[in-house]
Amino acid sequence: MISTEFTLPCGVILKNRLVKSAMTERISNRKFEPTKGHERLYKDWSTTGAGLLITGNVVIDRKHLESAGNVCFDDEMMLPKISSWAQASKSNESQVWVQISHSGRQTNRFGTNRPLAPSEVQLKKMGLFGKPKAMTEEDIQEVIKGFVKAAKIAKAAGFTGVQIHSAHGYLLSQFLSPRTNIRTDHWGGSIENRSRLLITIIKKVREEVGASFPIAVKLNSADFQKGGFTEEESLEVVKMLDNEKIDLLEISGGTYEKLAFFLMNEEGVVMKESTKRREAYFIDFAKKIRAVSNLPLMITGGFRSHEFCNEVLKNGEVDLIGMGRPFITNRKDIPGFLKGEIPTLENLVLRTGMKQFEDAAEGGFYARQLIRFSKGKKLKTNMSPLWCSMFLIIYEFRKAIAKKIG
């Protein structure tokens, strides 16, 4: 099943069911443009044979970066460099979609001390995030225009689709959550109002790119926080997305405040062993989606065995299999995995021995590998876990200093 074609509602055909999901590259130049590193990285990924590659966060506002080194699609003067990235990515007939994002209150202090957000609800994590400014109507309209412009640039450059990022606690996810959206106007309150920004952006993007250009959405199943976005609300949003006839729904979960969401349920309680053994972190929620929607469905997180991927595809639990980290640690194994010659992609886990540093260590390890790959270097597994745990903060700081000097 994983090696079979899949036709999207818009008519585009994916050559197989395996997707490289979004992972932040952090390798733009100082003008927020893609580099030769992007071309090298995505050309290499195209040789894996995956049917679809989704880029890391491409932001719409250079003041609201998800991370230092993000590309920003806000200027059509960038088109030659963006086009080179797109062409390199398609060198093995893969579909390549741009993940479009705005970080909102999850923009760190290295970017701005007063990020825009639905409401003035501050993210309190290691003192890295400033108190946000509640968006005005004008701010919201500018964000809508920003998403549309980014989609227009992506299509003009030769990318074959876009994914609108409405998960992981970024801006559109913040609007969906009653924990971070306490507005009393038509952008807040009921789930219909909290969904308004996402749905408006989808409609406007569709008007811009046309009916035959794929539009995907990445959506949280839940925030895994008390008072946050719930599974019930997520299902209501799914019904709205069904009406908009998007081409793919990717399910994920969590926010910066709940990084270790993979093995937790909505209340933050560790999942039972039977759920963990099923590999895919959100497979149970996928069944609930199937009951209310016919949208093509993708889950990212946990898939490692060829047998299990085929099982869930055959059962119709999902339509596409999303993987992230295997495209770093097992990149050369993926062609064989698609053919069934390699039954399992080994899961590489990095541990510091200190619980409070584990998430940062894993994030830093994979970020460093992507930067290495973009320079033509090979996978390096013998990295210091402690140094990896500090890498992202140091990297953000260095990039901020270089920007000021430049």
Side-chain angles (χ1 to χ4, degrees):
M1 285 293 295
I2 197 169
S3 60
T4 59
E5 291 182 346
F6 183 75
T7 303
L8 299 168
C10 65
V12 167
I13 299 174
L14 305 181
K15 65 181 181 179
N16 59 53
R17 309 295 186 97
L18 181 61
V19 181
K20 183 209 81 71
S21 59
M23 295 181 288
T24 299
E25 302 93 5
R26 298 183 174 88
I27 54 173
S28 74
N29 63 23
R30 293 184 185 181
K31 296 180 180 179
F32 305 94
E33 299 168 329
T35 63
K36 293 295 182 183
H38 286 91
E39 296 173 33
R40 181 181 291 114
L41 191 58
Y42 279 80
K43 188 172 184 178
D44 285 347
W45 274 329
S46 74
T47 64
T48 64
L52 171 61
L53 309 177
I54 303 178
T55 73
N57 273 298
V58 168
V59 298
I60 67 166
D61 181 348
R62 55 187 65 196
K63 293 181 180 178
H64 289 80
L65 302 180
E66 170 268 338
S67 181
N70 283 156
V71 174
C72 181
F73 281 13
D74 66 347
D75 186 350
E76 286 159 331
M77 295 294 289
M78 294 182 181
L79 272 172
K81 291 183 178 179
I82 298 173
S83 297
S84 295
W85 178 16
Q87 291 308 310
S89 305
K90 297 186 294 186
S91 56
N92 196 29
E93 298 182 350
S94 296
Q95 290 282 315
V96 190
W97 298 357
V98 177
Q99 184 186 78
I100 308 173
S101 180
H102 186 297
S103 298
R105 74 174 192 146
Q106 288 185 174
T107 306
N108 63 47
R109 291 184 187 274
F110 297 113
T112 177
N113 280 316
R114 288 285 278 168
L116 294 177
S119 306
E120 294 188 1
V121 181
Q122 187 172 3
L123 172 57
K124 296 179 180 179
K125 193 171 181 69
M126 300 174 66
L128 290 174
F129 304 92
K131 186 175 181 179
K133 175 186 174 184
M135 295 171 70
T136 64
E137 182 68 26
E138 183 180 358
D139 292 330
I140 292 172
Q141 294 303 321
E142 286 302 310
V143 163
I144 294 169
K145 292 176 185 176
F147 273 89
V148 173
K149 185 172 185 178
K152 178 182 179 181
I153 289 173
K155 183 178 180 182
F159 284 99
T160 61
V162 292
Q163 182 186 65
I164 296 169
H165 200 339
S166 188
H168 296 173
Y170 297 120
L171 182 68
L172 301 187
S173 179
Q174 291 162 31
F175 267 88
L176 290 174
S177 174
R179 184 183 177 96
T180 49
N181 181 352
I182 56 175
R183 302 175 71 97
T184 57
D185 60 6
H186 65 295
W187 302 104
S190 67
I191 186 60
E192 290 78 15
N193 283 354
R194 284 181 276 128
S195 305
R196 191 182 306 277
L197 181 55
L198 171 61
I199 301 302
T200 301
I201 286 170
I202 294 169
K203 289 179 184 294
K204 296 292 186 181
V205 169
R206 179 60 78 194
E207 289 174 7
E208 177 62 45
V209 301
S212 61
F213 191 77
I215 297 176
V217 170
K218 189 167 189 172
L219 181 72
N220 272 2
S221 60
D223 292 343
F224 307 106
Q225 292 177 283
K226 188 175 181 180
F229 188 59
T230 66
E231 285 194 355
E232 291 73 22
E233 290 180 323
S234 185
L235 290 172
E236 289 302 310
V237 176
V238 169
K239 293 175 187 176
M240 298 179 205
L241 296 176
D242 209 39
N243 291 333
E244 297 306 318
K245 295 179 171 54
I246 64 168
D247 296 288
L248 180 64
L249 174 63
E250 179 184 1
I251 292 297
S252 193
T255 69
Y256 277 15
E257 290 173 308
K258 279 288 184 181
L259 290 178
F261 57 83
F262 297 126
L263 299 178
M264 291 185 179
N265 65 15
E266 186 178 315
E267 287 75 35
V269 178
V270 175
M271 292 180 183
K272 55 188 178 182
E273 287 300 321
S274 60
T275 303
K276 295 180 190 178
R277 284 196 297 270
R278 289 216 70 201
E279 290 190 30
Y281 303 138
F282 303 105
I283 200 71
D284 291 336
F285 187 66
K287 295 177 182 177
K288 298 179 182 179
I289 291 176
R290 288 299 201 207
V292 300
S293 170
N294 294 314
L295 289 172
L297 185 60
M298 166 181 157
I299 291 176
T300 299
F303 291 109
R304 292 296 183 272
S305 73
H306 188 266
E307 181 181 5
F308 180 68
C309 290
N310 284 330
E311 175 191 320
V312 297
L313 289 168
K314 184 178 180 180
N315 292 342
E317 295 176 78
V318 296
D319 299 298
L320 300 174
I321 302 293
M323 292 186 185
R325 292 175 176 182
F327 279 85
I328 297 176
T329 55
N330 309 87
R331 184 174 51 170
K332 293 182 179 179
D333 295 331
I334 289 174
F337 181 82
L338 274 168
K339 296 174 183 176
E341 297 169 354
I342 295 176
T344 305
L345 300 173
E346 296 299 325
N347 193 19
L348 179 62
V349 179
L350 196 71
R351 288 289 177 263
T352 63
M354 294 173 280
K355 186 177 180 180
Q356 64 270 35
F357 291 108
E358 303 295 23
D359 290 324
E362 293 238 347
F365 173 81
Y366 287 102
R368 292 177 70 190
Q369 302 298 342
L370 288 181
I371 293 169
R372 287 178 59 82
F373 291 169
S374 74
K375 297 176 180 178
K377 297 180 180 180
K378 297 180 180 179
L379 177 71
K380 183 179 180 181
T381 57
N382 61 335
M383 290 182 172
S384 162
L386 194 57
W387 164 236
C388 286
S389 72
M390 298 182 288
F391 172 75
L392 290 178
I393 293 178
I394 293 172
Y395 186 80
E396 295 285 330
F397 178 74
R398 285 176 174 172
K399 282 280 190 177
I401 295 298
K403 183 181 176 182
K404 289 182 179 179
I405 294 175

